[in-house]
Amino acid sequence: MASSPQPQQPLETESSSSRPTKTLGSVRSFTRLESQTPPTRSRSATLNSSVGPERASPFGAFPEPNFTYDSVDQVESPHPTEPEALDDHVRDVLDEPLPQLELPAEVLEMTDRFIESLSAKVHPAPVSIDLLSTMFQDFYETTASAISAHVSKLYSSHDAQAPDQPLVSMSEIVQRKKDRKRRDNLRVALQEVVEKRVTEAVFDKIWRHHGAEDEARDEALRSKTMALAVVGIGLKELGLEENINVMDLKPVCEAFQSLNATKCPHGKLHLLKRAHKAIVDALTSVVPSTTSSADHILPILIYSLIISPPHIHIVSNLLYIQRFRYHKAIDGEAAYCVTNLEAAVSFLETVDMGTLAANGSPVTAPVDPEPTGIPSISLPPYAEKTDKATLTTIAPAITDTSPANASPRLETGLQKETPAVLPMTAATKRMTYLTPVEFATSAATSAVNTADQSLKTIGNSLENSYRFLFGKLSDKRTDLPKTLEDVRKLVGTPAQEQELLRDSAIYDRLYSEGLKTSDSYGGDALATQMKQVRTGETTKNTRETTMKLLPEREVVAGTSLNTTESSPGHGAAYIPVADSVRNL
Amino acid sequence: MAQPRASSSSANTRFAQFKLVLLGESAVGKSSLVLRFVKDQFDDYRESTIGAAFLTQTIALDENTTVKFEIWDTAGQERYKSLAPMYYRNANCAVVVYDITQAASLDKAKAWVKELQRQANESIVIALAGNKLDLVTANPSKRAIETADAEAYAKEAGLLFLETSAKTAENVKELFTAIARKLPTDQAGPRRGPAGLRGGVDMNRTPQTANLNGQGCAC
């Protein structure tokens, strides 16, 4: 991004990167550090690295850092090292907002050079996502050691006299532990600043990197969760005995939704932890005595993914964390949460709905004439489950205009789902008139579109969905419905529609109470998609329903066009970025 | 690959951290067992944000050796069986739990052991725990699996074995201590490189995440 290394800027202001600092190699104050550092440290010693104006090497995306560890001996002077239960608390610190820290000059320079190297056209072919991830990991490794060296220097004069002296007092030991903890915290915090700076700078190149299949996997997963919701998979089918109120899972869904609003892996990981915490809270609010074991947490996590709005892009977010979070900083509880999500996604991607239903109590699918057992929330979620991904298949050029994909140059505060709210509720209401089969049809349309682009998995999962749906029907009635007309007869009973409406009320409430960050693309995309459906090979009855709602839809479609049109202008500034992505 | 974090920071003190995975059918008491271990014996229990699914506990094996367990619970329902490898990858040790009052639960446990021996980290230390000893103590007729049978199996399969009660804490601490003793606290590499490089994001951080990279597509 930055056209030249800009070593010493306050990190929290992204916009400042456009105003180069002139004083190279000057001593900057470490605002936050002052209060923490021992008085005897020599600050200038940390800054004799050459912060030259030279540009990143044209060879290799990741030039060698050009500072020197000139005080290495001092840095590596032995510290007292009592065994201890290592730093759980260090990680806890990360749950707090990042402090306003300035990076040491040499680290800042490394960081900016890395960012620059990512944008430089030095690679003959696009860099694969795996290589990109490796480059990030190598980079983090390098900055971690630079940060360590820096922090040790800050404290070294203080610690230097320590090792040879016998431990006289308890208070001294306590003090040392405290110091060590403080150093650890500082290292972690500085590393977070590095991660934030890098990932935010190149976010739209690395998010859903176009060499990867993240988006298609999101789409496939969405189709799958839709199908699971259609057949009424609930917590029971997922193996949970306890009865959890769907409303209690709202915070979980909210956490998932927020994933798109943050660009740094640290933030996403934090939200993932929050989702887990919300699961435990929901569980203990129902059964206070329950120990929240994996037997409980995993099913609830999976169920939360099923009922979450469609635009959570959970696979993309998971992969983003795994690729661009410093691996050594995914540990302990965070590592568990990542694995849990990975497992939940894997389960949803591969589960055979027939066996799932067979495992649990009989599934009360919408095809069941008696609406009694339908989990109240199971249907409405996919009132929304047509999102901008569909739009993307129509106009791929605007991929990056979704809120979370907004330019890294925007202030963090601005990147949050600005357009949201308006057409959503209306759209949701409209969509609830559709029968499950029509939802499935629209899912099919979008999935097929995506599958055309690349992936076979979607086809499979969808095929399974259908196979199950129809298998289900054939279990219930002796003749298999042959046409959508038949299915609709089975599915779209008046009672069923009423049920849908009732559910939609709950859903609206759920979302109007806070989940309504869903972007307007959702509704727009559906409209667009329904147009496709209408013009495509659909049966008469689908068409009828569509026609009924046509006027409204046209309006929405108009909005959609506007969005599409406005985006190139909005995105114009980033065309070079897009170019450099291709060169990654 | 799954090197435990360990260090010999001076000649006579050692610290090692290990990943322990819990396997076994639902309702055999996996999480009760581990909660008992984590809460009971030690004062420094801190409530985990994710309940009993992930817990840590540090024990002092002797005055010079400290072992920290990171305990990963797995969902015991049959339908999640195929997900287990994600949890036991890079695990240094495993506790496979069955219920001594439920005959079928030992079969499940045996299946887990077999899988671990085939697919997990080669040097994984596996302990077999026959839980709910308290039920049998109270009412011997409830026993469905003879101690001797389970013991013979464990011996043959090379497992640590104890019958435990999460309820009364019987043999719980013993189980984890036995595992800790069997783990290579002394042969592991240093936890930290040069002093001063240790800490939060230090260079020797957590082995279990070391191969997350590139695994994205495996899920």
Side-chain angles (χ1 to χ4, degrees):
Chain A
M1 281 270 107
S3 59
S4 66
Q6 288 150 22
Q8 298 133 354
Q9 306 201 352
L11 263 187
E12 299 302 316
T13 44
E14 286 290 322
S15 57
S16 66
S17 61
S18 53
R19 280 173 267 115
T21 358
K22 9 61 260 216
T23 44
L24 296 168
S26 70
V27 177
R28 291 272 151 163
S29 62
F30 296 87
T31 37
R32 224 358 174 47
L33 264 58
E34 290 295 353
S35 57
Q36 300 178 338
T37 41
T40 48
R41 76 183 172 84
S42 152
R43 195 208 294 152
S44 60
T46 67
L47 287 170
N48 43 13
S49 56
S50 65
V51 184
E54 70 264 52
R55 305 180 65 87
S57 150
F59 309 105
F62 187 31
E64 280 297 300
N66 67 344
F67 70 90
T68 51
Y69 293 93
D70 54 339
S71 317
V72 164
D73 294 346
Q74 201 187 2
V75 170
E76 298 190 346
S77 66
H79 291 253
T81 47
E82 314 96 286
E84 51 163 355
L86 240 211
D87 48 41
D88 286 331
H89 298 279
V90 174
R91 291 290 151 204
D92 294 346
V93 171
L94 301 182
D95 293 342
E96 315 289 314
L98 289 179
Q100 297 277 331
L101 275 180
E102 285 186 33
L103 287 177
E106 64 271 24
V107 177
L108 184 58
E109 197 214 343
M110 289 164 77
T111 306
D112 286 343
R113 238 180 326 162
F114 178 64
I115 293 170
E116 196 184 350
S117 75
L118 287 173
S119 315
K121 303 189 176 187
V122 292
H123 299 280
V127 169
S128 76
I129 188 65
D130 289 342
L131 179 57
L132 199 53
S133 170
T134 308
M135 287 162 68
F136 268 75
Q137 295 301 327
D138 291 348
F139 164 71
Y140 289 143
E141 200 71 43
T142 315
T143 52
S145 51
I147 286 171
S148 266
H150 170 80
V151 172
S152 299
K153 275 180 190 172
L154 292 181
Y155 287 85
S156 58
S157 46
H158 177 67
D159 288 345
Q161 70 251 28
D164 299 327
Q165 292 175 357
L167 300 176
V168 267
S169 65
M170 202 55 202
S171 68
E172 200 177 307
I173 298 174
V174 169
Q175 184 55 42
R176 265 184 212 168
K177 279 200 165 180
K178 249 191 202 161
D179 286 351
R180 190 182 311 130
K181 195 125 277 177
R182 204 184 286 150
R183 285 197 301 271
D184 288 345
N185 289 349
L186 182 58
R187 279 190 196 97
V188 170
L190 287 171
Q191 188 68 31
E192 297 301 350
V193 175
V194 167
E195 180 198 272
K196 187 169 158 57
R197 187 175 182 87
V198 173
T199 51
E200 288 185 352
V202 297
F203 179 79
D204 47 3
K205 300 179 203 173
I206 59 176
W207 169 254
R208 295 180 147 195
H209 184 269
H210 64 173
E213 293 170 337
D214 306 1
E215 201 169 341
R217 280 185 65 187
D218 277 331
E219 192 66 10
L221 189 70
R222 189 173 70 89
S223 305
K224 197 68 178 282
T225 52
M226 278 176 71
L228 287 168
V230 167
V231 298
I233 295 295
L235 284 166
K236 204 162 241 163
E237 287 73 36
L238 295 168
L240 194 79
E241 303 302 323
E242 287 78 3
N243 205 3
I244 299 222
N245 188 338
V246 173
M247 293 301 285
D248 289 339
L249 298 179
K250 189 177 135 190
V252 185
C253 300
E254 277 172 346
F256 286 142
Q257 266 192 306
S258 309
L259 282 172
N260 288 337
T262 176
K263 292 179 181 178
C264 72
H266 165 265
K268 289 181 189 288
L269 193 54
H270 178 53
L271 286 163
L272 182 54
K273 282 197 201 174
R274 190 194 291 172
H276 275 80
K277 174 139 183 22
I279 289 173
V280 173
D281 291 347
L283 191 63
T284 45
S285 73
V286 179
V287 200
S289 60
T290 324
T291 55
S292 324
S293 69
D295 287 355
H296 303 98
I297 292 177
L298 188 62
I300 301 176
L301 178 63
I302 291 169
Y303 185 63
S304 301
L305 291 176
I306 293 175
I307 63 168
S308 281
H311 51 83
I312 56 172
H313 307 323
I314 204 72
V315 183
S316 294
N317 278 298
L318 171 65
L319 292 172
Y320 185 83
I321 293 171
Q322 290 181 324
R323 289 169 184 152
F324 302 115
R325 175 85 178 150
Y326 186 27
H327 288 165
K328 288 172 181 168
I330 307 179
D331 63 351
E333 199 171 272
Y336 187 86
C337 292
V338 169
T339 299
N340 238 12
L341 182 60
E342 196 181 341
V345 165
S346 167
F347 177 80
L348 286 168
E349 283 181 339
T350 57
V351 67
D352 174 69
M353 286 181 284
T355 46
L356 184 59
N359 270 343
S361 57
V363 176
T364 45
V367 289
D368 191 325
E370 294 150 66
T372 45
I374 298 177
S376 59
I377 202 67
S378 70
L379 274 175
Y382 26 123
E384 276 193 8
K385 288 199 178 194
T386 25
D387 69 347
K388 74 173 177 58
T390 318
L391 194 59
T392 312
T393 62
I394 301 161
I398 63 165
T399 327
D400 280 342
T401 56
S402 76
N405 295 344
S407 153
R409 275 169 246 191
L410 291 179
E411 292 296 325
T412 343
L414 293 180
Q415 77 197 29
K416 302 204 173 114
E417 340 233 12
T418 24
V421 198
L422 100 307
M424 183 258 144
T425 330
T428 309
K429 273 184 192 139
R430 266 199 307 280
M431 285 171 228
T432 52
Y433 290 99
L434 301 176
T435 65
V437 168
E438 285 165 316
F439 287 128
T441 310
S442 56
T445 316
S446 68
V448 167
N449 282 345
T450 326
D452 281 342
Q453 290 180 333
S454 60
L455 266 201
K456 55 254 155 190
T457 49
I458 308 158
N460 292 342
S461 75
L462 206 82
E463 199 184 331
N464 288 342
S465 319
Y466 274 129
R467 196 176 296 148
F468 177 70
L469 188 60
F470 289 102
K472 185 89 194 149
L473 291 168
S474 65
D475 287 348
K476 299 239 161 196
R477 337 259 152 165
T478 36
D479 12 309
L480 192 69
K482 290 191 186 69
T483 63
L484 270 176
E485 174 74 27
D486 296 343
V487 176
R488 194 160 177 273
K489 270 184 198 152
L490 291 175
V491 170
T493 62
Q496 194 55 55
E497 303 235 331
Q498 292 219 328
E499 189 66 21
L500 273 169
L501 286 173
R502 188 177 61 83
D503 290 343
S504 83
I506 293 166
Y507 189 65
D508 283 349
R509 180 153 41 91
L510 184 63
Y511 280 80
S512 61
E513 275 170 20
L515 287 186
K516 68 160 96 165
T517 36
S518 70
D519 44 359
S520 53
Y521 302 127
D524 300 346
L526 180 81
T528 318
Q529 193 177 55
M530 289 313 293
K531 277 183 135 182
Q532 286 187 325
V533 170
R534 194 156 40 88
T535 51
E537 312 170 31
T538 31
T539 61
K540 262 185 203 153
N541 25 352
T542 312
R543 182 174 300 182
E544 276 165 25
T545 324
T546 313
M547 295 298 273
K548 252 188 281 170
L549 299 163
L550 194 56
E552 271 178 302
R553 286 235 178 72
E554 291 288 25
V555 174
V556 182
T559 323
S560 163
L561 280 179
N562 288 341
T563 317
T564 319
E565 274 163 18
S566 69
S567 52
H570 180 62
Y574 315 116
I575 288 170
V577 175
D579 282 342
S580 54
V581 172
R582 250 155 253 140
N583 283 291
L584 272 178
Chain B
M1 149 135 273
Q3 282 299 308
R5 292 170 59 198
S7 75
S8 318
S9 54
S10 65
N12 55 354
T13 60
R14 290 193 296 258
F15 174 87
Q17 179 172 312
F18 299 101
K19 174 176 171 179
L20 184 152
V21 66
L22 274 177
L23 295 163
E25 236 182 344
S26 291
V28 294
K30 289 191 301 285
S31 48
S32 311
L33 192 67
V34 79
L35 269 175
R36 173 62 75 182
F37 167 61
V38 167
K39 271 183 174 165
D40 238 39
Q41 315 282 343
F42 311 89
D43 336 313
D44 62 340
Y45 169 68
R46 290 193 317 126
E47 194 68 51
S48 155
T49 40
I50 49 175
F54 176 87
L55 294 165
T56 61
Q57 186 54 279
T58 306
I59 57 174
L61 272 191
D62 53 53
E63 56 183 17
N64 296 324
T65 311
T66 311
V67 168
K68 180 181 181 185
F69 286 114
E70 271 194 355
I71 303 165
W72 290 48
D73 192 13
T74 60
Q77 295 94 329
E78 181 66 26
R79 76 204 76 195
Y80 301 124
K81 197 173 183 304
S82 65
L83 306 175
M86 296 180 189
Y87 295 86
Y88 64 67
R89 72 184 163 209
N90 295 325
N92 308 102
C93 43
V95 175
V96 181
V97 188
Y98 70 96
D99 175 351
I100 59 174
T101 69
Q102 301 291 332
S105 68
L106 181 60
D107 297 335
K108 279 276 166 53
K110 287 180 179 175
W112 281 122
V113 170
K114 208 169 162 191
E115 178 173 334
L116 286 172
Q117 289 177 334
R118 210 177 41 230
Q119 292 189 47
N121 170 24
E122 281 178 19
S123 56
I124 192 166
V125 172
I126 306 173
L128 181 68
N131 198 29
K132 306 201 181 175
L133 188 55
D134 53 290
L135 291 182
V136 170
T137 311
N139 181 357
S141 68
K142 282 198 170 174
R143 178 182 284 277
I145 296 163
E146 291 307 320
T147 312
D149 295 346
E151 200 162 17
Y153 160 71
K155 197 172 176 190
E156 186 194 322
L159 319 172
L160 293 166
F161 171 70
L162 275 176
E163 286 188 342
T164 56
S165 167
K167 197 168 181 189
T168 66
E170 190 173 355
N171 279 342
V172 174
K173 186 185 180 185
E174 288 77 1
L175 177 74
F176 287 89
T177 308
I179 296 167
R181 293 201 184 285
K182 216 177 164 187
L183 286 164
T185 49
D186 44 356
Q187 30 178 288
R191 174 180 66 187
R192 46 191 87 119
L197 289 183
R198 55 176 302 278
V201 280
D202 75 14
M203 309 300 296
N204 302 289
R205 211 54 210 191
T206 47
Q208 72 269 18
T209 54
N211 67 348
L212 275 175
N213 187 23
Q215 286 190 344
C217 294
C219 65

